[in-house]
């Protein structure tokens, strides 16, 4: 029998009580937990206990991004939690259906009229925006929203499910305490400062006073691969890092080409792409002075086909938030995706993270702690930090 901490036991009891007695008056309940507090354990225990109560119960496990969904499915499968009546998918796959043309090409998406589940358990709830959340609520199915309340809020708007979660996990478990990345996340969350040094062979922080600072930085960028996240604060830094990484990978063209990593910068529900999604260019060619016609394999497995703005690449900011917005509504916005700002990396993780600490002058101490904590917790195995 799995031993639960006191706060886990309290959370399980509250979740079961809500589902058995309170879903008619309260359609969702939120659970926040820091990295290492056992959020996946809670999900597993709840699913097992609900199965003993009702063996016909149908649960939809969802997350915002394809990668986060695959991680959730892997963790639940290891514990044999997913039952035949259950599903694991992105939120978008659960509640939207594709619109297909005569050539059987997906040309858009629309919200489904009905979904056949008794409960939705949503992971990584901290990055869900208000539009998606309202669409999810419209199916009137009870929802358990689970996320990390220490992370940054969603990229767009003022909505945040994890701003004040009803239930909170704070106890870091013994196994997680041994993980140096969890240790650094605690430093970030509690102090807003990570001490320089070697925490393991894979977890290190360098400062400019280190004699190997520039050599380590160059090596980290030259060793970039698709399962690496290079993170920073400023868009100007992101642009320089993208150029440096592209050069080290042998890309000679300034404009995007086949094989380039790209990031989506604006939601388009019809094309099933969302701000922050990453992908790799399969094919791309000019389509007039202002557009590319592109085929992009998104990291969640979907294939994007459409027109993307030429001007967006190497731009200082997303054109969606400038006076050029009306001129770029006819297509989609992508940019090079080798280096990302931490805000754009929300909800994503990678085996290796290379982090450049950059604090905006107007950031409060609390905002900085959230920024640094979010950055550190993107790393699964390897974390290299370059401080100032």
């Amino acid at each position: 029998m799995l031993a639960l901490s006191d706060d886990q036991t309290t959370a399980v009891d509250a979740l079961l009580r809500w589902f058995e007695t309170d879903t008619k008056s309260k359609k969702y309940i939120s659970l926040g937990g820091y990295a290492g507090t056992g959020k996946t354990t809670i999900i597993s225990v709840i699913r097992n206990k609900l199965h003993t109560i009702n063996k016909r119960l149908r649960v939809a496990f969802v997350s915002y991004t394809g990668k986060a969904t695959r991680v959730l499915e892997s963790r639940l499968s290891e514990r044999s939690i997913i039952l035949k009546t259950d599903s694991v998918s992105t939120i978008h796959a659960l509640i939207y259906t594709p619109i297909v043309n005569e050539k059987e090409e997906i040309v858009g998406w629309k919200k489904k009229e009905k979904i056949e589940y008794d409960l939705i358990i949503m992971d990584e709830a901290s990055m869900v925006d208000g539009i998606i959340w309202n669409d999810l609520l419209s199916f009137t199915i009870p929802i358990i929203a689970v996320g990390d309340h220490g992370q940054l809020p969603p990229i767009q708007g003022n909505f945040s499910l994890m701003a004040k979660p009803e239930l909170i996990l704070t106890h870091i478990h013994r196994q997680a305490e041994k993980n140096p990345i969890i240790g650094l996340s605690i430093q970030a969350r509690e102090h807003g400062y990570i001490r320089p040094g070697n925490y393991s062979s894979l977890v290190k922080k360098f400062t400019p006073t280190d004699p190997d600072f520039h050599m380590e930085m160059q090596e980290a960028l030259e060793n970039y691969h698709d399962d690496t996240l290079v993170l920073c604060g400023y868009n100007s830094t992101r642009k320089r890092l993208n150029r440096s990484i592209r050069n080290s990978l042998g890309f000679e063209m300034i404009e995007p080409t086949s094989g380039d990593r790209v990031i989506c910068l604006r939601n388009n529900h019809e094309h099933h792409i969302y701000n922050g999604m990453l992908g790799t260019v399969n094919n791309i060619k000019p389509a007039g002075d202002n557009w590319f016609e592109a085929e992009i394999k998104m990291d969640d497995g979907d294939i994007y086909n459409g027109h993307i703005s030429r001007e967006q690449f190497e731009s200082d900011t997303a054109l969606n938030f400038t006076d050029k917005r009306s001129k770029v509504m006819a297509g989609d916005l992508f940019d090079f995706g080798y280096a990302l700002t931490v805000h754009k990396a929300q909800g994503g993780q990678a085996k290796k993270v290379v982090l450049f600490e950059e604090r905006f002058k107007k950031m409060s101490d609390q905002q900085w702690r959230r920024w640094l904590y979010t950055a550190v917790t993107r790393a699964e195995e390897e974390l290299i930090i370059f401080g100032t």
Side-chain angles (χ1 to χ4, degrees), residues 174-185:
R174 186 173 300 173
Q175 185 176 0
E177 283 179 339
K178 299 175 182 178
N179 183 332
I181 294 173
I182 297 295
L184 265 61
S185 78

Side-chain angles (χ1 to χ4, degrees), residues 57-251:
L57 189 77
R58 301 162 297 179
V59 177
F61 297 98
V62 296
S63 194
Y64 189 77
T65 66
K67 185 159 189 178
T69 301
R70 289 194 294 274
V71 171
L72 175 63
E73 183 172 20
S74 174
R75 289 174 178 171
L76 295 178
S77 295
E78 287 174 1
R79 305 177 188 212
S80 301
I81 295 304
I82 306 167
L83 306 179
K84 291 181 179 179
T85 54
D86 299 342
S87 69
V88 186
S89 71
T90 61
I91 301 171
H92 313 107
L94 177 70
I95 66 175
Y96 301 115
T97 188
I99 302 169
V100 181
N101 64 15
E102 313 82 45
K103 299 178 182 179
E104 296 189 353
E105 298 171 331
I106 296 175
V107 295
W109 296 79
K110 64 179 180 180
K111 194 175 72 168
K112 295 177 182 177
E113 293 183 4
K114 189 176 182 181
I115 52 178
E116 302 289 343
Y117 290 96
D118 305 300
L119 174 66
I120 296 170
I121 299 180
M122 176 172 61
D123 195 25
E124 294 288 355
S126 60
M127 67 179 303
V128 175
D129 63 36
I131 295 173
I132 296 294
W133 177 242
N134 286 330
D135 280 352
L136 195 60
L137 282 177
S138 70
F139 292 95
T140 66
I141 296 171
I143 303 169
I144 297 175
V146 182
D148 189 332
H149 59 297
Q151 290 186 25
L152 291 165
I155 297 172
Q156 293 180 186
N158 297 318
F159 176 82
S160 176
L161 267 173
M162 289 293 110
K164 292 183 179 179
E166 295 174 61
L167 306 170
I168 294 179
L169 303 176
T170 58
H171 176 71
I172 306 296
H173 291 269
R174 186 173 300 173
Q175 185 176 0
E177 283 179 339
K178 299 175 182 178
N179 183 332
I181 294 173
I182 297 295
L184 265 61
S185 78
I186 296 171
Q187 286 190 43
R189 175 167 52 80
E190 294 184 351
H191 307 293
Y193 177 73
I194 293 173
R195 296 183 298 274
N198 290 355
Y199 292 85
S200 75
S201 61
L202 299 178
V203 180
K204 304 174 183 179
K205 179 178 177 178
F206 300 96
T207 62
T209 58
D210 294 315
D212 296 333
F213 181 81
H214 293 288
M215 182 190 73
E216 293 286 351
M217 184 185 299
Q218 183 177 355
E219 186 176 316
L221 297 180
E222 289 178 350
N223 289 337
Y224 174 91
H225 50 80
D226 285 356
D227 207 3
T228 301
L229 277 177
V230 178
L231 304 179
C232 60
Y234 293 109
N235 271 313
S236 56
T237 304
R238 176 186 60 82
K239 287 172 60 178
R240 290 196 301 271
L241 290 171
N242 274 326
R243 291 192 200 111
S244 177
I245 294 169
R246 291 187 81 240
N247 286 338
S248 69
L249 292 174
F251 289 98

Side-chain angles (χ1 to χ4, degrees), residues 250-361:
F251 289 98
E252 297 179 355
M253 295 179 61
I254 297 175
E255 293 190 323
T257 186
S258 297
D260 259 319
R261 291 286 285 167
V262 292
I263 183 171
C264 174
L265 299 183
R266 181 170 66 191
N267 294 345
N268 185 333
H269 290 265
E270 290 187 355
H271 278 160
H272 202 213
I273 54 172
Y274 300 89
N275 196 352
M277 288 180 71
L278 291 164
T280 302
V281 176
N282 284 342
N283 296 295
I284 191 167
K285 61 182 180 181
D289 294 335
N290 300 318
W291 301 97
F292 291 115
E293 184 180 330
E295 178 184 283
I296 301 169
K297 183 176 181 181
M298 307 307 296
D299 283 1
D300 65 0
D302 285 346
I303 300 294
Y304 165 88
N305 284 284
H307 285 79
I308 63 176
S309 169
R310 298 181 75 162
E311 190 176 355
Q312 180 61 74
F313 284 86
E314 291 279 280
S315 177
D316 287 329
T317 187
L319 300 181
N320 196 42
F321 301 105
T322 69
D323 56 7
K324 297 180 180 180
R325 175 183 170 86
S326 60
K327 297 180 181 179
V328 293
M329 292 305 291
D332 294 304
L333 302 181
F334 284 80
D335 199 353
F336 294 116
Y338 300 96
L340 313 178
T341 61
V342 172
H343 282 84
K344 280 289 189 290
Q346 291 169 243
Q349 284 187 302
K351 288 184 178 179
K352 179 178 180 179
V353 166
V354 178
L355 172 63
F356 293 82
E357 287 186 346
E358 292 184 317
R359 179 171 179 170
F360 297 99
K361 291 181 179 178

